[in-house]
Amino acid sequence: MTTTGRSAHHPDHPDAPDPVRIDHSDGAHPARPAAIPVPADRAAADPAVRPRLGYGTNGLTDLRLDDALGLLADLGYDGVGLTLDHMHLDPLAPTWPPAPPGSPGAWASWGSASPSRPAPATSSTPAANTARPSSTRTPRTRAARVRLLLRAVRVAADLGAHAVHCFSGTLPADTPPDEAWKRLASSLTPVLTAAEAARVPLAVEPEPGHLLATLGDFHHLRGLLGDPAPALLGLTLDIGHCQCLEPLPPADCVRAAAPWVHHVQIEDMRRGVHEHLPFGDGEIDFPPVLAALTELTAAGFPGLTVVELPRHSHAGPELARTSLSFLRPESSSC
């Protein structure tokens, strides 16, 4: 199963009102040169090669988890983005691992596909208000958030997930940027150790308004951590965030980030405004994006592309249906 990294209480940007307007500057850490594009010959030759699609449970919080999984399976999704939070799967439950809500099944059932639920997806993440090590001032609270990320590594391993998804958190007004970067690197070091032991890579998401906001910032973090292998420290690439503030178009971001991508999130968005929108309500040109994601899949990307609409749970079931039809038109007859 995957997760998206937002909580129901802070569904999009935990420290600012909606919409969040973003400075278009490139930031202090320039991006590395774009990587060589992944080969497209297999994608062109095999129309069956296509991105594996999922839907985030943070956009289905009005449903019990078993009902959400059944809905996504019936619609034809390949997996599910599971936010670890109190609504669906509480990582701080007194007994761990808990039984799936509303189901007597054993924990092991979460790690395998069945006719009634989607196949396991790619990542496992704590909720946004707990997964922000760089924005925490005191060692005690930073340690608590590190413990939660370590729990997420265990959950990901139990689920057979492909990555643990997290992000940095915002920069407090009274904290120098260099100090915040040191905190982030120090906090993630034990998480990387645990992830390597569990054979579950860490996928950090550049988040508009956060300390680590851009692809360039991601490479800055990798440098601070000694440039770990991409198989250990990789990237969650959010297509809307690319539209929001990256200098490259979203399709080019996919190709530039390809060597590091472990997880993809997708929604519509406008330039300079961090607001997750249903497809067609923003400014993204999706055919080139879907072509780039198909190339990524053809090159061996095993993860999911997860629809992330955390502020639309009131219309979640219908948006799950229309989103799949938009991204995969051949499924519209389902």
Side-chain angles (χ1 to χ4, degrees), residues 223-240:
L224 291 176
L225 290 167
D227 203 26
L232 177 60
L233 178 62
L235 182 69
T236 290
L237 186 68
D238 189 299
I239 299 302

Side-chain angles (χ1 to χ4, degrees), residues 1-241:
M1 296 191 167
T2 70
T3 72
T4 55
R6 282 101 179 134
S7 111
H9 304 295
H10 305 282
D12 196 13
H13 187 299
D15 298 301
D18 178 24
V20 179
R21 299 195 174 272
I22 304 300
D23 183 0
H24 283 193
S25 67
D26 291 342
H29 311 292
R32 292 181 177 182
I36 298 172
V38 296
D41 53 345
R42 182 183 164 205
D46 185 357
V49 174
R50 63 186 187 183
R52 296 174 63 241
L53 299 180
Y55 198 91
T57 60
N58 61 359
L60 294 169
T61 56
D62 291 350
L63 301 181
R64 293 180 303 174
L65 185 52
D66 271 11
D67 292 337
L69 295 176
L71 169 72
L72 298 177
D74 290 344
L75 289 173
Y77 279 94
D78 302 300
V80 57
L82 176 61
T83 298
L84 300 187
D85 208 346
H86 62 90
M87 297 89 64
H88 286 148
L89 186 60
D90 186 357
L92 299 180
T95 58
W96 187 264
S103 168
W107 174 255
S109 69
W110 287 85
S112 60
S114 76
S116 61
R117 60 178 49 140
T122 55
S123 65
S124 186
T125 305
N129 58 334
T130 55
R132 299 177 288 147
S134 72
S135 63
T136 305
R137 293 174 176 82
T138 69
R140 180 179 177 182
T141 50
R142 284 200 298 276
R145 289 179 175 179
V146 168
R147 287 195 298 271
L148 188 55
L149 286 168
L150 293 173
R151 176 64 63 86
V153 170
R154 178 182 173 186
V155 174
D158 286 346
L159 292 175
H162 289 95
V164 173
H165 164 207
C166 67
F167 39 88
S168 70
T170 57
L171 176 66
D174 59 350
T175 302
D178 286 349
E179 175 62 25
W181 282 106
K182 290 178 183 177
R183 290 178 187 173
L184 179 60
S186 176
S187 296
L188 291 181
T189 296
V191 181
L192 283 171
T193 300
E196 184 174 23
R199 299 184 179 180
V200 180
L202 196 65
V204 179
E205 179 185 4
E207 182 82 8
H210 280 210
L211 175 70
L212 196 159
T214 67
L215 294 174
D217 292 337
F218 165 72
H219 290 300
H220 178 65
L221 174 64
R222 286 184 52 82
L224 291 176
L225 290 167
D227 203 26
L232 177 60
L233 178 62
L235 182 69
T236 290
L237 186 68
D238 189 299
I239 299 302
H241 296 174

